Amino acid sequence: MLKLDRQLIAERKAKLEETKATLKQHFVGIDKIIDDLIDYIQVWYLIPELLKRPVIVNLWGMTGVGKTDLVRKLVKSLHFQDRFVEVELSNVDETLWHSSVSSVLDSHELHDGKPAIVLFDEIQRFNTIDTDGKPLGQTKFMDFWELLSDGRLSKKHRDNLDNFLMGYFQRRKENQRKRSKGEEVEEETVYLSMWEALELRKALSLDLSVEDLMDMTEDEMFDLIMSAKRQKAIYEPINHSKTLILISGNLDDAFHMATQAAEADVDADIFHAFTTKVTLMDVKEALMNKFRPEQVARFGNIHLIYPSLRKQDFEVLIQREIERVCRETFEHTGVQLTLDDSIARLIYRNGVFPVQGVRPVFSSVTDILEMNLSKMLLHALTHEETTIHLNFNEAEQKIEAKVGETDFSYAYSGRIDKIRQTNQQAAVANISVHESGHAVVYMVLFGLVPLQLQSKVASSYSGGFTFPHQIHRTKRSMLDMIKVYLAGGLAEEIVFGTFNASTGRENDREQATVLALDYVRKYGFDDEFQATYTLDHHAYMMNRDVTDMDVEKMMMRLVSETRELLSRHILLLQSLSMQLTQKGQLESSHTAELAAQYGLVVEVKPEGHLHIPAYDKQLDAVRVN
């Protein structure tokens, strides 16, 4: 029966609580992830003797949300640095020294059956199937799946034992031959080399140190090996049931926002709302695009899904970094540094890329604050001043400083601000009309104000954007969304004339066409075509060409209906376009007020809102006779 050391368990539990608090002080916006992680590793940390297989915890999220750093901080806080290894698996033959997980763990001396932590990072690079679902030829690290299965790895050191025994018997046989011929045999005690001692220690899973083994004679080691062979222990697989296995990766298939264009300008709260909707099933579906089904099953069901950071999280992070700079400045120089909120706003505008996480923020703090601060510090130290106050004059684009009683100012524009300011007014007007077209049709058909409406962005590959809510797909909503996509280009034709319409409609029309094709071929919403025309298996493939003309007629009809809809709301379209041109971005409340002035009542809904028919109320209204 297992005897529990209650005092030790209590001490470890207190350590876990301390670790949880420490992690929450360091990281921003992932308190729920930290709580769940600590909960999942409790048994492994408190009573590892109970475990029959390793604990596997998966961490998924977009880049820069703190997956790897969280694991490293956890390891440090639990004092497991000497029992921890990071492994980046790849199906590309780049690793020179190791070709198996077992050899990596062996090199870190983690094959002893004691508690350890292994992080398999960037696991998406280890895909075992290609984009067509066909298996990839792989020869390296295939024991990874063996480890995930039951935590046991086949031993690789039996050959070392056999080689040692072969050499031992050859020397004994040679000595016997010499004796039989009357030749003199020099009796000497043969000891193990360091390499032999190290290899045999691993093969026999001995607790003895290498130094102790090197003090053993060959005869003593022979007796030790033969005893192990009789007990069959050397044939048992290596047991990693007490190993905590952490798997981390970026799954763009699950986090569709990860490749969103103009990410510097999309509201961080919008990204956060969309990423919080990513579920376990989304993750498993994304994994199925990279691994075989039986391999996906081995990841288990403990999946921690990171949302992207909210606006307030980035603001807290920036404030922490500012406080750090102020603290370190005082500690190193004795100069008291104070900053007003304009510096934090400057850093946010130029350092926050929601889909890229925290790394750009740290870089911008260095670029905007620390690099410019050095100029003022030099003056303060040479003139024995003890205070510096900084602010950013947005109107004049200057960093202003008061060093003691001396005023300084430096012309400065943020790197992203510069890009936004270079937008030509004519281009902004073009983009504003285009995005207003999307917005007007979206408001008319869905009764909602877009989450974000912007025509000035820090991007050379995107002119602007109109961010919709999550729309539940129905026959009606698919037709309406096609119209929303078509509305941008059609608005340009109505306002500027057909021959002045720009090519900014390209992606819109691609999305509209995809929806139209799915409407006909996949969902059977067109009465003329009820079979599924999207099956890829050769035996079930149908001739998709027969649907093309029907899709084209539908698109032509929807273009006509959308143009008519925009013409009916031409005054709203013109007014919204002018407002957007002037401001570059409109708040949802302002857009709603403007719509109301032209007789259109729309709702402002939060980022996480799902637009879906009232199925529940319709079902409640059914009366069974």
Side-chain angles (χ1 to χ4, degrees), residues 9-72:
I9 292 175
E11 291 174 356
R12 288 177 176 174
K13 191 169 182 62
K15 183 62 179 176
L16 272 184
E17 291 301 317
E18 177 189 330
T19 296
K20 183 191 295 186
T22 300
L23 294 176
K24 288 184 178 180
Q25 288 176 358
H26 180 81
F27 293 97
V28 174
I30 59 170
D31 284 4
K32 180 65 166 58
I33 296 291
I34 293 171
D35 287 337
D36 289 345
L37 177 60
I38 295 300
D39 286 345
Y40 285 128
I41 70 171
Q42 275 200 66
V43 173
W44 166 81
Y45 187 67
L46 300 180
I47 321 174
E49 297 80 8
L50 293 178
L51 296 175
K52 301 301 182 184
R53 59 180 59 246
V55 173
I56 303 173
V57 180
N58 301 272
L59 307 173
W60 308 111
M62 295 187 294
T63 184
V65 293
K67 301 183 297 295
T68 305
D69 197 26
L70 176 61
V71 174
R72 291 171 179 169

Side-chain angles (χ1 to χ4, degrees), residues 113-381:
K114 298 177 182 178
I117 302 176
V118 182
L119 169 63
F120 293 99
D121 207 0
E122 304 292 348
I123 196 66
Q124 74 277 0
R125 299 175 183 171
F126 190 54
N127 56 300
T128 58
I129 59 176
D130 61 19
T131 53
D132 295 325
K134 297 179 180 178
L136 295 172
Q138 293 176 300
T139 58
K140 302 182 66 174
F141 301 114
M142 295 311 293
D143 57 344
F144 170 69
W145 307 108
E146 184 182 351
L147 180 66
L148 295 191
S149 177
D150 59 3
R152 284 165 170 75
L153 293 172
S154 302
K155 283 190 174 179
K156 309 297 182 183
H157 295 287
R158 296 178 195 170
D159 290 344
N160 297 330
L161 295 178
D162 293 337
N163 290 337
F164 176 85
L165 292 175
M166 185 179 298
Y168 177 82
F169 286 126
Q170 284 180 341
R171 284 188 288 273
R172 286 183 59 178
K173 186 175 182 179
E174 179 63 19
N175 286 341
Q176 290 174 356
R177 185 187 64 78
K178 288 181 179 180
R179 289 192 185 97
S180 65
K181 291 185 176 183
E183 298 179 9
E184 183 179 351
V185 177
E186 182 178 352
E187 296 292 341
E188 62 174 340
T189 303
V190 180
Y191 293 93
L192 302 180
S193 69
M194 180 178 290
W195 175 256
E196 289 174 323
L198 181 62
E199 289 300 301
L200 291 174
R201 178 174 178 265
K202 294 175 182 177
L204 298 175
S205 301
L206 299 173
D207 287 332
L208 295 174
S209 67
V210 173
E211 291 78 7
D212 291 337
L213 290 173
M214 290 177 64
D215 289 337
M216 297 179 70
T217 64
E218 268 197 335
D219 290 340
E220 291 171 331
M221 180 54 67
F222 171 76
D223 293 337
L224 194 62
I225 292 174
M226 295 309 296
S227 175
K229 275 182 169 287
R230 285 191 296 272
Q231 295 173 8
K232 308 296 184 182
I234 61 173
Y235 301 107
E236 292 294 324
I238 302 163
N239 187 353
H240 276 279
S241 61
K242 297 179 178 61
T243 297
L244 171 62
I245 298 175
L246 301 172
I247 300 173
S248 173
N250 305 330
L251 293 178
D252 290 348
D253 291 342
F255 294 89
H256 301 292
M257 309 293 291
T259 56
Q260 178 65 44
E263 63 270 13
D265 293 283
V266 177
D267 193 309
D269 289 342
I270 295 177
F271 278 116
H272 176 79
F274 276 77
T275 54
T276 55
K277 297 295 182 70
V278 178
T279 67
L280 170 63
M281 299 310 297
D282 295 320
V283 167
K284 291 213 173 225
E285 184 178 348
L287 289 173
M288 290 289 287
N289 292 330
K290 294 182 178 294
F291 305 100
R292 298 197 297 273
E294 68 274 15
Q295 294 170 336
V296 173
R298 297 189 182 194
F299 285 99
N301 282 332
I302 302 179
H303 296 267
L304 303 185
I305 304 170
Y306 282 67
S308 65
L309 298 182
R310 300 166 297 176
K311 182 177 181 180
Q312 70 182 61
D313 297 327
F314 283 112
E315 290 172 342
V316 170
L317 179 63
I318 290 170
Q319 192 57 44
R320 285 187 183 181
E321 283 297 288
I322 288 174
E323 291 171 358
R324 175 189 62 80
V325 173
C326 292
R327 182 177 61 254
E328 292 179 356
T329 299
F330 182 75
E331 291 173 354
H332 296 155
T333 66
V335 175
Q336 188 73 47
L337 176 64
T338 58
L339 300 86
D340 73 7
D341 292 341
S342 60
I343 298 294
R345 291 195 298 270
L346 176 65
I347 294 172
Y348 189 100
R349 288 199 310 274
N350 293 274
V352 172
F353 290 72
V355 301
Q356 296 180 17
V358 300
R359 296 187 187 100
V361 174
F362 294 138
S363 175
S364 293
V365 169
T366 299
D367 178 39
I368 294 172
L369 179 55
E370 294 180 286
M371 295 295 290
N372 287 290
L373 176 61
S374 61
K375 305 170 187 177
M376 278 69 83
L377 273 176
L378 179 61
H379 180 86
L381 294 174

Side-chain angles (χ1 to χ4, degrees), residues 443-512:
M443 289 190 290
V444 171
L445 296 179
F446 292 98
L448 298 171
V449 179
L451 287 171
Q452 194 172 351
L453 185 57
Q454 187 141 353
S455 62
K456 291 183 180 179
V457 299
S459 174
S460 60
Y461 53 82
S462 178
F465 52 84
T466 304
F467 222 112
H469 297 77
Q470 287 183 293
I471 306 296
H472 182 68
R473 278 195 172 186
T474 65
K475 184 174 183 177
R476 177 77 267 162
S477 71
M478 289 184 72
L479 292 174
D480 288 345
M481 278 307 300
I482 292 173
K483 292 179 182 179
V484 172
Y485 281 122
L486 295 172
L490 295 175
E492 292 185 46
E493 292 183 10
I494 292 172
V495 175
F496 301 126
T498 303
F499 289 100
N500 285 324
S502 74
T503 58
R505 64 177 63 190
E506 178 182 3
N507 184 65
D508 295 335
R509 294 181 66 80
E510 287 178 4
Q511 296 299 321

Side-chain angles (χ1 to χ4, degrees), residues 588-603:
S588 297
S589 58
H590 182 78
T591 304
E593 292 172 3
L594 192 61
Q597 293 176 18
Y598 293 91
L600 184 62
V601 179
V602 290
E603 292 183 279

